[in-house]
Amino acid sequence: MLHAERQLQRRNTLRLRSRAAALSVIDSPADLERALAEARQSGLPVLPLGEGSNVVLAEELAAHVLLLRLRGCRWLDRRGLLRVAAGESWHPLVAWTVACGWRGLENLALIPGTVGAAPVQNIGAYGRELAPFVHAVHAVRIADGEPVSLSRAACRFGYRDSIFKHALRDRVVITAVDLQLSRDLPLEVSYPGLRDRLPAAIEAITPQAVFDAVVALRRGKLPDPLREPNAGSFFKNPVVSLEQAEDLQAACPGLPVFEAGEGRRKLAAGWLIEQAGWKGIEREGIAVHPRHALVLVNRGGDSAARVLALAAAIAESVRARFGVELEIEPRCYGSGP
Ligand code: FAD
Ligand code: NAP
């Protein structure tokens, strides 16, 4: 139902001051139907919001924000096919599936956010991503409220990417995700740092041990948004041609370069930012985290304009020094989506 409280500062993990033109809390399919009808009537664009951990919100948002709180989780068969409502929190879901002995999501522990947002950027970490575990995504079209379902192939997942950032951007509200889990999938433990925290004998490694190791690694390295407001990695790792990667490596020994398929290479954005001298720098209450150069932290700056000004300065200096374009990862909303 339409909510009188339209402030969003406590509803985004960067804790940016922001106020929506309209806001509805979506607890049920009927709430969603009603809110979409209201948005059509007002002409405001619709902005679905989960836990606000991957957004930069302007101070005045000319949008009808839908706070997705749809709950529920049920097995569709006995072979690990699970339907989860969009408003469920991601990390508790991972913890529960692992505790039940299902494999697949253990490397994706402690990623903030909701289940409904997870397919949007095809969340990934520690050598795994969501895509292979998605069986289907269920959504409702914003234009007419009609339900649509997409198979994994139709979601066109890529590196931190999906159809929900392109052809279906601003066109659907995801209501549920069907996940296909497994009892016998080989564990992925090759990511640097992970193997060292696990038993030496490979057969002694359990999904729970991988989950625990990922949680410990993340807690040791990444700032907790509850204490240091942030939106995770602020820039995507740039993917460049093999030729450009080789030229850069020749000029900058130590540059981390990873295989990215199709003759392309992925560079570590955090390394480029650190080398450009930004680690620990603070401007107008927004800081580059002193331990993790890819994370921007709100230290009282509180405004999207200040975050984006710092981000632009960082991107400009990385471009000047390395000739590499940095792309912002969180979705930035101005006065309208
Ligand atoms: P929001 O921030 O609320 O929304 C993000 C985008 O998705 C918006 O464009 C929004 O409109 C859209 N959206 C949200 N819900 C729906 C819906 N139901 N239907 C349609 N569109 C929707 N990401 C990773 O991939 N890997 C990581 O390891 C990782 N670590 C992080 C660590 C920290 C400390 C933080 C703060 C963030 C991290 N992230 C990571 C980013 C973030 O957690 C994920 O992108 C997450 O999926 C966002 O979920 P959310 O509910 O907060 O989405
Ligand atoms: P890290 O271990 O310091 O590594 C830096 C970057 O190098 C990562 O972004 C990672 O790319 C890449 N990398 C390292 N080893 C790799 C390998 N063997 N193969 C391919 N790529 C490799 O990274 P971190 O910042 O501490 O984060 C750890 C993991 O959590 C990463 O997977 C990262 O994506 C994820 N994470 C994501 C966010 C977010 O908001 N998106 C925030 C925090 C953490 P990838 O990013 O492609 O893995």
Side-chain angles (χ1 to χ4, degrees):
M1 79 191 221
L2 205 56
H3 217 268
E5 172 59 77
R6 292 179 284 125
Q7 302 295 341
L8 297 172
Q9 190 164 22
R10 305 220 59 80
R11 293 176 165 134
N12 72 95
T13 61
L14 262 169
R15 295 285 179 264
L16 299 180
R17 241 179 303 127
S18 178
R19 189 173 59 166
L23 184 143
S24 297
V25 178
I26 308 300
D27 285 312
S28 68
D31 286 348
L32 180 56
E33 199 179 320
R34 208 173 309 125
L36 290 178
E38 278 163 4
R40 275 193 291 277
Q41 216 164 25
S42 68
L44 284 170
V46 166
L47 194 171
L49 198 66
E51 292 175 10
S53 65
N54 212 22
V55 288
V56 178
L57 303 176
E59 203 141 347
E60 293 293 336
L61 269 185
H64 189 139
V65 169
L66 308 186
L67 281 183
L68 269 297
R69 298 290 181 260
L70 299 168
R71 303 276 178 203
C73 182
R74 70 186 164 99
W75 294 107
L76 299 179
D77 66 19
R78 288 165 173 271
R79 296 191 306 274
L81 187 59
L82 183 65
R83 176 162 300 168
V84 194
E88 291 289 341
S89 274
W90 176 257
H91 175 69
L93 171 78
V94 176
W96 176 72
T97 60
V98 170
C100 293
W102 291 100
R103 292 171 173 230
L105 309 184
E106 53 280 350
N107 296 49
L108 305 178
L110 221 58
I111 298 181
T114 53
V115 168
V120 175
Q121 87 149 1
N122 180 21
I123 54 169
Y126 295 96
R128 276 264 166 89
E129 60 181 23
L130 176 75
F133 308 103
V134 170
H135 178 76
V137 172
H138 306 285
V140 161
R141 280 201 307 240
I142 289 172
D144 56 11
E146 283 301 307
V148 283
S149 291
L150 289 93
S151 65
R152 174 172 51 229
C155 291
R156 303 212 195 121
F157 289 119
Y159 178 61
R160 307 289 190 270
D161 201 19
S162 75
I163 193 168
F164 306 107
K165 288 189 169 188
H166 301 280
L168 292 185
R169 180 177 151 125
D170 299 329
R171 300 212 165 165
V172 295
V173 177
I174 294 170
T175 51
V177 180
D178 293 349
L179 296 168
Q180 180 64 67
L181 306 175
S182 160
R183 287 281 187 207
D184 51 16
L185 183 78
L187 297 169
E188 170 55 63
V189 294
S190 61
Y191 196 91
L194 198 49
R195 190 69 187 84
D196 313 339
R197 289 179 173 262
L198 293 163
I202 194 98
E203 51 301 341
I205 302 175
T206 61
Q208 187 66 53
V210 176
F211 173 94
D212 292 341
V214 168
V215 168
L217 269 172
R218 293 184 72 107
R219 288 216 168 110
K221 200 165 176 195
L222 295 164
D224 177 355
L226 290 177
R227 273 181 273 154
E228 297 181 273
N230 73 84
S233 305
F234 203 82
F235 298 96
K236 288 186 194 172
N237 287 326
V239 176
V240 300
S241 67
L242 173 60
E243 197 184 18
Q244 188 179 3
E246 282 176 351
D247 288 350
L248 278 166
Q249 257 184 326
C252 322
L255 168 72
V257 174
F258 306 98
E259 174 61 48
E262 296 166 359
R264 297 179 67 77
R265 295 291 182 269
K266 181 179 78 178
L267 311 177
W271 190 91
L272 299 171
I273 295 167
E274 185 173 346
Q275 293 300 309
W278 286 99
K279 206 173 186 178
I281 299 288
E282 180 174 335
R283 281 190 185 172
E284 294 188 297
I286 310 294
V288 179
H289 198 272
R291 275 183 291 117
H292 204 305
L294 204 45
V295 179
L296 300 191
V297 187
N298 177 8
R299 291 199 182 142
D302 286 359
S303 91
R306 289 177 178 176
V307 172
L308 295 176
L310 179 60
I314 293 170
E316 175 52 38
S317 79
V318 166
R319 186 183 305 120
R321 169 115 183 241
F322 301 104
V324 173
E325 291 296 328
L326 288 183
E327 193 188 332
I328 291 177
E329 183 181 285
R331 175 86 187 266
C332 303
Y333 291 98
S335 52

